[in-house]
């Protein structure tokens, strides 16, 4: 059995949309991080992704599955069990995500200043 996901694995004051590098939709990068250590059930994913609705999580998982980044496995039995896991293609995205996160961390203050309007926006020609 996998170690439970940490409910605090994502800092609530760290908006994923601050990074100019986006992997899929708003939630995709965080979902990929949740699956990094192995397969997870839908209910497990909801623990660290507290702000996501079931509908949005379902849509994000389907998009990741459609794009070949996440696989969905249904295990038959008295109780149907569905697990989501990174595919080899999805696992290959972890390295670029690490680089993007590192870059964002180095430029955090500049990104915040720009977002808050401290830096002037270049005028359109």
């Amino acid at each position: 059995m996998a170690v439970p996901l940490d409910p605090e694995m994502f800092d609530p004051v760290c908006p994923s949309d601050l990074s100019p590098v986006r992997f899929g939709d708003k939630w995709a990068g965080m979902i990929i991080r949740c699956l990094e250590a192995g397969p997870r059930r839908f209910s497990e994913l909801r623990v660290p992704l507290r702000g996501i609705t079931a509908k949005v999580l379902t849509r994000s998982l389907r998009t990741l599955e459609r794009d070949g980044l996440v696989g969905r496995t249904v295990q038959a039995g008295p109780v149907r069990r569905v697990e989501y896991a990174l595919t080899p293609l999805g696992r290959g995205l972890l390295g670029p995500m690490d680089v993007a996160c590192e870059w964002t961390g180095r430029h955090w203050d500049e990104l915040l200043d720009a977002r808050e309007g401290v830096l002037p926006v270049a005028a359109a020609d």
Side-chain angles (χ1 to χ4, degrees), residues 22-41:
R22 171 119 350 135
F23 297 92
D25 64 26
K26 174 182 177 179
W27 299 97
M30 290 184 276
I31 292 169
I32 290 169
R33 286 292 182 204
C34 288
L35 298 174
E36 185 173 7
R40 298 288 176 175
R41 295 181 70 184

Side-chain angles (χ1 to χ4, degrees), residues 47-95:
V47 172
L49 303 173
R50 290 183 300 277
I52 195 168
T53 65
K55 180 179 178 179
V56 172
L57 179 55
T58 298
R59 184 173 48 217
S60 292
L61 285 165
R62 285 181 182 161
T63 300
L64 289 167
E65 186 177 6
R66 179 202 66 208
D67 293 343
L69 302 174
V70 169
R72 179 178 183 268
T73 304
V74 179
Q75 298 173 351
V79 176
R80 190 176 98 159
R81 182 180 170 102
V82 179
E83 288 187 330
Y84 297 91
L86 291 176
T87 63
L89 184 62
R91 194 154 288 289
L93 202 54
L94 293 171

